Amino acid sequence: MPLTVFFSAPAVWDEYHDLLPALLAEAGIDALVLTEAPDPEAVDYIIYAPSAPLQDFTPYIRCKAVLSLWAGVERIVGNATLTQPLCRMVDTGLTEGMVEWVVGHSLRHHLGMDRHIVNPGHVWEATCPPLARERRVAMLGMGALGTACAQALAGLNFDVVGWSRSEKSVPGIKCLHGETGLETALRSADIVVTLLPKTPETENLLDAQRLAWLKPGAVILNPGRGALIDDTALLAALDAGRVGHATLDVFRVEPLPQDHPYWTHPKVTVTPHIAADTRATGAAKVLVENIRRGEAAEPFLHLVDRTRGY
Ligand code: NDP
Ligand code: OXD
């Protein structure tokens, strides 16, 4: 009987403690799920959230896989004690949530909604926004989330370009890669969405030089990771009008410290890392499928490439 240990904050476990054993039983897997491991050598699978204190994976010598509840694995991928296969979370709830956040915030800026929602002077300013087809969105990161967001925006007729590390072909999206591709994407964009993982290569990707490539007034949406953007450079670009607005969901330090200038900057919207949540109903199915695969000696889903860091 495979033993799975669920390492997370107690509130996370509350969402899974009935669901996970029920789904394992439904899949015909006779497994035991615990929240602690008195004998680490007996553990077959680790389910891991970054809220867990677990740092040393060395004693889990029999463990077949570490299954992350998060899509972003930057807090665990470089852990030298972790030698077991690491799988990240890709599930429909995360994807749908991210699509809704990205589409919602893109439409806010595209339609200029703020002018009408907050209009204390009752100004009748009848300027019509352009159509979405006249608005270029650059999607930096064309993985599970970026591709779904790019396709949703393209479905609304936005002119979407995608940028990724490797060369890609996605119907309806102009796909770019490499440094030249990044420059092309940024220079032409009205809205830039950053859905990249945090790795040594992506840290401060949007620095002063690259922010200077943007069209004046371009909008940035960052639901990826705080470290993708050089905060000082972004604040300077906002003050200079080079960037029209930044809607930020993720930060180098979370919760965002009360004295951080983002809170009070008139051209910044802060959302508290809520763009997409791992929802137990969908995520538990992904966990169970990976445990099933592990037991059947089949390849795991959503394996992290340690050398790339995502
Ligand atoms: P994926 O791993 O599926 O996709 C990552 C994308 O980034 C890929 O297209 C990859 O390129 C690209 N990429 C990585 N490194 C580089 C690089 N150096 N240069 C260019 N492109 C690069 O991740 P997901 O789409 O599932 O998630 C993306 C990120 O979103 C997560 O890592 C996490 O940080 C964040 N996230 C935020 C949430 C929130 O609530 N705010 C919720 C969930 C995730 P390639 O395709 O060539 O490999
Ligand atoms: C994730 C996140 O990576 O919530 O899953 O940011």
Side-chain angles (χ1 to χ4, degrees), residues 71-282:
V73 289
E74 72 281 357
R75 292 205 232 167
I76 184 178
V77 72
N79 185 322
T81 69
L82 178 65
T83 51
Q84 302 84 348
L86 171 64
C87 304
R88 59 188 210 92
M89 182 51 67
V90 177
D91 95 303
T92 52
L94 263 177
T95 307
E96 282 175 39
M98 188 59 82
V99 166
E100 291 175 18
W101 188 95
V102 168
V103 169
H105 287 279
S106 297
L107 286 174
R108 170 193 172 193
H109 294 294
H110 164 59
L111 296 174
M113 287 182 185
D114 294 15
R115 275 186 294 144
H116 307 295
I117 292 170
V118 181
N119 186 3
H122 302 171
V123 180
W124 184 269
E125 202 225 309
T127 317
C128 231
L131 291 173
R133 67 177 74 252
E134 297 162 303
R135 209 70 99 167
R136 165 65 63 93
V137 181
M139 186 64 60
L140 307 188
M142 286 290 287
L145 300 177
T147 300
C149 293
Q151 287 175 323
L153 289 167
L156 291 171
N157 282 340
F158 281 98
D159 172 18
V160 186
V161 291
W163 182 73
S164 52
R165 195 181 48 80
S166 57
E167 201 170 341
K168 277 197 194 317
S169 163
V170 178
I173 316 288
K174 297 174 193 71
C175 291
L176 302 169
H177 68 285
E179 185 66 19
T180 323
L182 179 60
E183 184 165 351
T184 305
L186 291 178
R187 284 196 187 280
S188 62
D190 299 297
I191 300 173
V192 176
V193 185
T194 43
L195 264 170
L196 297 153
K198 181 190 170 205
T199 68
E201 285 74 38
T202 62
E203 192 149 5
N204 288 322
L205 183 93
L206 292 188
D207 59 8
Q209 187 201 346
R210 293 184 180 129
L211 289 171
W213 291 342
L214 293 171
K215 290 196 228 173
V219 165
I220 294 177
L221 309 182
N222 182 18
R225 282 293 181 262
L228 301 176
I229 304 183
D230 176 336
D231 294 319
T232 309
L234 176 59
L235 286 163
L238 286 161
D239 290 338
R242 198 169 313 113
V243 174
H245 197 97
T247 297
L248 310 173
D249 184 60
V250 281
F251 305 91
R252 281 188 160 72
V253 178
E254 296 181 3
L256 184 65
Q258 278 306 314
D259 59 354
H260 198 287
Y262 283 152
W263 280 118
T264 49
H265 199 289
K267 294 180 185 170
V268 174
T269 300
V270 170
T271 65
H273 201 145
I274 44 82
D277 197 13
T278 303
R279 287 153 220 258
T281 41

Side-chain angles (χ1 to χ4, degrees), residues 16-41:
Y16 290 84
H17 77 288
D18 290 335
L19 186 61
L20 199 53
L23 289 178
L24 283 164
E26 217 174 86
I29 305 166
D30 187 15
L32 182 62
V33 188
L34 302 175
T35 52
E36 50 191 35
D39 177 10
E41 293 187 14

Side-chain angles (χ1 to χ4, degrees), residues 15-67:
E15 295 175 42
Y16 290 84
H17 77 288
D18 290 335
L19 186 61
L20 199 53
L23 289 178
L24 283 164
E26 217 174 86
I29 305 166
D30 187 15
L32 182 62
V33 188
L34 302 175
T35 52
E36 50 191 35
D39 177 10
E41 293 187 14
V43 173
D44 295 285
Y45 301 94
I46 290 175
I47 297 173
Y48 172 87
S51 55
L54 178 65
Q55 286 301 322
D56 184 6
F57 291 87
T58 319
Y60 298 90
I61 50 171
R62 195 174 96 180
C63 177
K64 295 176 195 143
V66 174
L67 310 174

Side-chain angles (χ1 to χ4, degrees), residues 275-300:
D277 197 13
T278 303
R279 287 153 220 258
T281 41
K285 291 186 189 148
V286 179
L287 298 171
V288 168
E289 173 58 13
N290 259 339
I291 293 172
R292 187 199 68 72
R293 283 168 176 255
E295 291 310 287
E298 290 174 21
F300 289 113

